[in-house]
Amino acid sequence: MHQGFGPPRLAACLVGLWVACASAAGFEPSPTFAAGTSVAEEPWLAGDIVEDVTTPFDFLGTMNWCCRGDDPVVDTGRVTGAVQSRVVHSIDGTYDFYWRIFVNNDSFLPINVMSITGIPAVDQVASWRNDLDGGEAPRGAGLAGSVLTWDFFFNSTSAVPIGSSSVYMFIDTQATAYTRAASIGLSVFMEHAGNSLGGSSGFIYPTFAPAVPEVPTVVLLLGGLAAFAWRRR
């Protein structure tokens, strides 16, 4: 499935040296996050869909009612739906990673935060597509707690509504290879009308991420280059 065409970017780094080379390759910034973006605005997002996997989720969520008499009342129910995980091979030769959340009609609570853990924060842009199918758009995205965790968070009062879906959220990377090395966590924590809707990250499963060279591989490569340079000298 092809998503359009546009001018390619330079992607000359070797796969084994992607982390070291990405910052030198150049990276176009996204427009304002609140409005999302499109292939018309950022042509390098065009490309072929090479992986598209939808995985259901089902976990317990709780709602703490603070104002029913003296003692808080805690209700518990199953939060259900699915996450679509997509990989796009862009026309610039790099890989971008997309996710979309679907919340079932019988879900006890909506989804408020999606966390992606295991994607290196090297020359990346997180945004969402306004030219693809979707529903609720995230109000922001950023690195949380670790350089390996991206959070896409929604409006604190609406989230991804029950019986609805999110837009396609994505991370535009400089990766020239990828693997199933990251994980997704979903959270239903938010506050509304004096009530606390609890439930920390309740669902985690593997998803796609840029392939990062193992440390021994890099060390061996650098050691070989150093030995070659010493021999030449």
Side-chain angles (χ1 to χ4, degrees), residues 14 21 27 30 38 53 79 86 95 109 115 125 163 171 181 193 211 223 225:
L14 297 174
C21 297
F27 202 84
S30 282
S38 65
V53 179
V79 180
R86 173 179 289 183
Y95 289 98
L109 292 171
S115 300
V125 173
I171 297 177
L225 291 175

Side-chain angles (χ1 to χ4, degrees), residues 46-108:
D48 295 317
I49 299 172
V50 295
E51 297 273 3
D52 198 341
V53 179
T54 299
T55 306
F57 60 81
D58 185 341
F59 63 91
L60 286 177
T62 60
M63 178 183 291
N64 301 315
W65 298 94
C66 69
C67 304
R68 291 191 197 166
D70 296 332
D71 298 323
V73 176
V74 178
D75 293 333
T76 302
R78 306 208 72 84
V79 180
T80 62
V83 174
Q84 181 182 6
S85 184
R86 173 179 289 183
V87 180
V88 174
H89 191 213
S90 301
I91 59 174
D92 61 5
T94 64
Y95 289 98
D96 300 331
F97 304 92
Y98 286 73
W99 300 274
R100 188 182 181 194
I101 303 169
F102 298 86
V103 182
N104 290 343
N105 287 318
D106 60 354
S107 181
F108 180 62

